[in-house]
Amino acid sequence: MSRPPAIVLVRPQLGENIGMAARAMANCGLDELRIVAPRDGWPNPAARAAAAGGNAVIDSARVFDTAAEAAADLQLVLATTARPRDVEKPVHGPREAARLLRESGARAGILFGPERSGLDNDEVGLAAAVVEAPLNPDFPSLNLAQAVLLMAWEWRMAGPPSETPVPSELAAAEAFEGFWRHLDGALDAAGYYREPKLKPTVQRNLRAIFARAGLTDQEVRTLRGVIARLSAGGRAKDY
């Protein structure tokens, strides 16, 4: 049976919000909290106090330096954001996203951005899809703990975990990152990025194309082999 998704708090600012997010997770049966570069360090006494009994989630929380590191072993990553984006990604409401998580059977995680600014474009780029709640368009911002509770509740209400075997062949984020760096480096060496000002946008768009594909480990190895042989004129090692 699939595990509940990991909750990934990226650069959270207030310990109280981390604690209230942990409490929301415990309410809904989620227990894996990953924290990326918390502003006030970790452990945080304010987080423990605000967890109001959700100490098991706080005690088992893991801290990472970057969102990419926090998502490295995940096979399906969703990003919550209400910010305009210049990358085309599937957009789901919370309920639809919860069903996707249930049905995928993958090792999954949900990214939540810092209270003031939300996720940046590179962090959203780690995700296969975006989650947006249909809130008041004039005031769509949620408190961090509210956002976590919304997704945790929808996941809980979506039903029991899928009994479909976890598709272990689906590439984890770390493998996908290796492929993307390989492709990006090869394109750069070949002079593909002709306009320096447009390079970041082109990179994000290319990355999004492959992220939407849901590549398996074998597909990642195949693509890396293709890149290597093209780069070496047909004389390169297999992956």
Side-chain angles (χ1 to χ4, degrees):
M1 299 177 74
S2 61
R3 281 185 50 80
I7 298 297
V8 185
L9 306 183
V10 181
R11 293 176 282 114
Q13 296 170 308
L14 298 174
E16 290 85 350
N17 282 340
I18 299 174
M20 288 187 286
R23 179 179 182 177
M25 291 172 61
N27 288 153
C28 298
L30 278 63
D31 58 8
E32 187 174 358
L33 176 61
R34 304 183 183 190
I35 307 172
V36 176
R39 185 190 66 181
D40 296 335
W42 194 260
N44 187 316
R48 176 172 291 278
N55 293 335
V57 176
I58 293 291
D59 291 340
S60 63
R62 290 190 286 163
V63 179
F64 299 84
D65 291 330
T66 68
E69 291 172 357
D73 65 323
L74 302 176
Q75 297 170 306
L76 174 62
V77 179
L78 303 181
T80 61
T81 179
R83 298 175 58 197
R85 301 168 311 280
D86 60 0
V87 176
E88 289 297 324
K89 286 184 178 291
V91 179
H92 305 296
R95 192 156 299 172
E96 182 183 6
R99 288 197 296 268
L100 174 63
L101 292 170
R102 288 287 193 178
E103 294 168 3
S104 72
R107 296 195 308 275
I110 311 172
L111 303 182
F112 297 83
E115 294 90 326
R116 181 170 298 178
S117 59
L119 298 167
D120 65 30
N121 283 334
D122 289 336
E123 290 158 351
V124 174
L126 297 170
V130 166
V131 183
E132 285 186 0
L135 301 170
N136 178 0
D138 295 325
F139 192 60
S141 178
L142 289 174
N143 171 273
L144 178 59
Q146 290 175 322
V148 171
L149 177 59
L150 175 61
M151 286 305 304
W153 170 254
E154 290 293 355
W155 180 86
R156 184 170 183 81
M157 295 305 292
S162 170
E163 295 187 9
T164 303
V166 175
S168 58
E169 74 278 3
L170 194 63
E174 187 174 34
F176 180 84
E177 284 298 309
F179 153 70
W180 168 248
R181 288 193 298 270
H182 192 179
L183 175 61
D184 185 48
L187 291 173
D188 209 7
Y192 179 78
Y193 301 118
R194 297 180 182 179
E195 298 291 337
K197 291 183 179 179
L198 296 178
K199 181 178 178 180
T201 299
V202 175
Q203 286 173 315
R204 285 194 293 268
N205 287 336
L206 284 172
R207 181 191 175 100
I209 291 171
F210 290 102
R212 287 197 300 269
L215 299 174
T216 65
D217 280 327
Q218 180 58 56
E219 289 168 340
V220 164
R221 288 193 293 270
T222 298
L223 286 171
R224 294 197 66 174
V226 169
I227 297 165
R229 289 191 180 275
L230 288 175
S231 299
R235 298 179 301 278
K237 66 179 182 179
D238 294 324
Y239 280 85

